[in-house]
């Protein structure tokens, strides 16, 4: 079994993924970490030194490698992963996918504390403009996110509650 968690930045994909994998006795892999290990650079360095297009191409390739090689694994992917190339189709073919759906205000409240770690929003200094960017970006990406097999709302829920909701939707 392969479970893919997708959703916008800061929707909790990594933290939920780790906990879910533990609960289901599956392995856990984070696509961003897999890219960083294989490229020998952080995601921020890849963006600044090689550019976003390079990142998107490699991201799609590493996604394919992972989905073709692992099994019994929970995989959390990057916020943009489902939105490029044929990634979402590939995810749907190869895994059971869950969209962790967070509202603009949940995302904004989480990312504002760690803007510099996130290359797409690192240059925002005005909080209002950041919030507007997130709202627009999320709206655009929703078309892709909604293609996941299941959607789980994460606002105001604990990690355990989210894991439970995911587990309830996994067929036996
Ligand atoms: C991105 C999200 C990041 C990372 C990269 C681009 C995006 O992953 O892949 O900075 O396009 O939304 P997280 O969603 O895990 O932060």
């Amino acid at each position: 079994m392969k479970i893919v968690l997708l959703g916008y930045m800061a929707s909790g994909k990594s933290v939920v993924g780790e906990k879910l994998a533990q609960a289901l006795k599956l392995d856990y892999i984070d696509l961003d970490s897999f890219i960083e290990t294989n490229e020998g650079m952080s995601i921020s360095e890849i963006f600044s030194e090689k550019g976003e297009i390079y990142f998107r191409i490699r991201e799609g390739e590493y996604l394919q490698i992972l989905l073709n090689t692992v099994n019994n694994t929970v995989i959390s992917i990057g916020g943009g992963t489902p939105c490029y190339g044929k990634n979402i189709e590939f995810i749907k073919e190869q895994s059971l996918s869950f969209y962790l759906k967070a509202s603009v205000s949940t995302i904004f409240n989480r990312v504002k504390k760690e803007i510099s770690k996130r290359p797409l929003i690192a240059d925002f200094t005005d909080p209002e403009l950041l919030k507007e960017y997130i709202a627009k970006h999320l709206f655009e990406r929703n078309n892709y996110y909604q293609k996941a097999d299941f959607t789980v709302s994460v606002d105001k829920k604990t990690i355990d509650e989210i894991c439970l909701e995911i587990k309830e939707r996994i067929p036996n």
Side-chain angles (χ1 to χ4, degrees):
M1 174 166 52
K2 279 170 257 190
I3 295 175
V4 166
L5 301 185
L6 57 94
Y8 203 74
M9 286 182 272
S11 54
K13 300 174 300 261
S14 308
V15 57
V16 170
E18 272 185 68
K19 197 84 195 255
L20 183 69
Q22 252 176 24
L24 296 172
K25 298 194 169 45
L26 300 175
D27 292 331
Y28 170 71
I29 297 182
D30 176 74
L31 178 62
D32 278 343
S33 306
F34 187 71
I35 297 172
E36 289 180 329
T37 307
N38 282 282
E39 293 284 300
M41 292 166 113
S42 70
I43 301 293
S44 296
E45 283 166 347
I46 300 173
F47 266 76
S48 64
E49 290 175 29
K50 305 217 166 171
E52 182 172 354
I53 293 177
Y54 174 87
F55 173 76
R56 295 301 174 196
I57 293 168
R58 301 305 279 163
E59 178 182 46
E61 291 168 358
Y62 286 119
L63 175 74
Q64 290 217 9
I65 293 171
L66 267 188
L67 287 175
N68 282 331
T69 52
V70 302
N71 204 358
N72 297 325
T73 304
V74 176
I75 305 168
S76 57
I77 60 175
T81 317
C83 316
Y84 292 88
K86 296 217 178 299
N87 293 352
I88 188 66
E89 284 82 4
F90 195 58
I91 290 164
K92 291 202 51 120
E93 274 165 31
Q94 296 273 338
S95 72
L96 192 65
S97 53
F98 290 86
Y99 168 27
L100 302 192
K101 185 173 186 183
S103 66
V104 174
S105 54
T106 296
I107 293 165
F108 173 72
N109 285 321
R110 292 182 186 172
V111 299
K112 69 180 181 196
K113 298 168 205 145
E114 40 165 46
I115 287 180
S116 64
K117 282 196 244 157
R118 301 180 181 278
L120 284 184
I121 55 171
D123 294 335
F124 278 91
T125 48
D126 179 339
E128 280 313 305
L129 288 181
L130 173 61
K131 202 166 186 179
E132 208 177 290
Y133 171 82
I134 293 169
K136 187 167 165 274
H137 205 201
L138 187 58
F139 178 73
E140 287 165 2
R141 287 183 165 185
N142 240 346
N143 287 329
Y144 298 93
Y145 295 158
Q146 277 170 353
K147 292 187 179 158
D149 296 315
F150 299 101
T151 295
V152 174
S153 290
V154 300
D155 293 330
K156 300 193 175 78
K157 287 184 191 154
T158 64
I159 295 161
D160 285 335
E161 286 168 334
I162 299 165
C163 284
L164 196 67
E165 283 191 36
I166 295 175
K167 274 166 38 187
E168 283 167 358
R169 287 170 172 78
I170 298 173
N172 289 317

